[in-house]
Amino acid sequence: MKLLRYSYKDKIENGILEKDTIKKIKGDFFSGFQITEEEIDISAAKLLPPTTPSKIVAVGLNYVNHAKELKMEIPKNPIIFIKPASTVIGPEEPIVYPECSTQVDYEVELGVVIGKRAKNIEKDEADEYILGYTVFNDVTARDLQRKDTQWTRAKSFDTFAPIGPLIETSLDPLDLPISLKLNGNTRQNSSTKNMIFNCYELLEFISGIMPLEPGDVIATGTPPGVGAMNRGDVVEAKIDGIGVLKNYVI
């Protein structure tokens, strides 16, 4: 099932997508819903971030070749950091280039959307706590990341967490083609099977540290091929089975 949030006639609604038709739902994704008879064409709606997380727990260096391209050691345990909710934007929205940075990079990632409160979860039961999966772009001010001793500033500017275009609930996350195009040219191309720690292992690790609330997102790390974006660029992050997350750099 494809879940999305959208704006239509100045109202924010939840719905499910079937082909090019949005069916409005009554209720929310986390406490149950009913599908109504109200339908609109997707072209008439503005898609919003499909979730409004209280926090984004992101994972660094979760693909071996990405760690190598950054000349960093392969982690023995997941490296996690927090992106604040204020970074979130949706499809077709602009990524704002901070004046204090000279290098802003794209990073396509699989986003895991939490469906119910998760604390101290074992990896074998992790699937029960996942609502579904989305596309995530972990935008990063790379020059500031290199300069600082930790990553918070480089990862936390407004608009640095594009999410979308929807949440797919029926998906095997362990072998998904994942790619990114910049101005139509492919820059990243890999599979989630190349993760060091898969999404179930990450949920176990993270929930052992902090509770994850419904709607929270785990950004599972990016494959190799990261690089800089410039003002005026168009970035398209794609995961097969979910869709394309398109944003503009301004």
Side-chain angles (χ1 to χ4, degrees), residues 47-88:
L47 296 188
L48 304 175
T51 182
T52 54
S54 69
K55 60 184 172 295
I56 301 160
V57 184
V59 182
L61 307 178
N62 199 27
Y63 289 74
V64 172
N65 288 342
H66 175 52
K68 289 181 177 178
E69 74 179 346
L70 294 180
K71 297 180 174 60
M72 301 180 75
E73 293 184 5
I74 307 302
K76 296 180 180 179
N77 294 296
I79 297 173
I80 64 172
F81 56 94
I82 298 288
K83 290 178 82 101
S86 55
T87 58
V88 172

Side-chain angles (χ1 to χ4, degrees), residues 59-67 69-70 106-110 136 138 142 178 180 188 219-226:
V59 182
L61 307 178
N62 199 27
Y63 289 74
V64 172
N65 288 342
H66 175 52
E69 74 179 346
L70 294 180
Y106 52 79
E107 294 187 10
V108 63
E109 307 195 4
L110 175 68
F136 188 87
D138 179 19
R142 191 72 67 200
I178 179 170
L180 182 140
Q188 293 184 275
T220 57
T222 194
V226 299

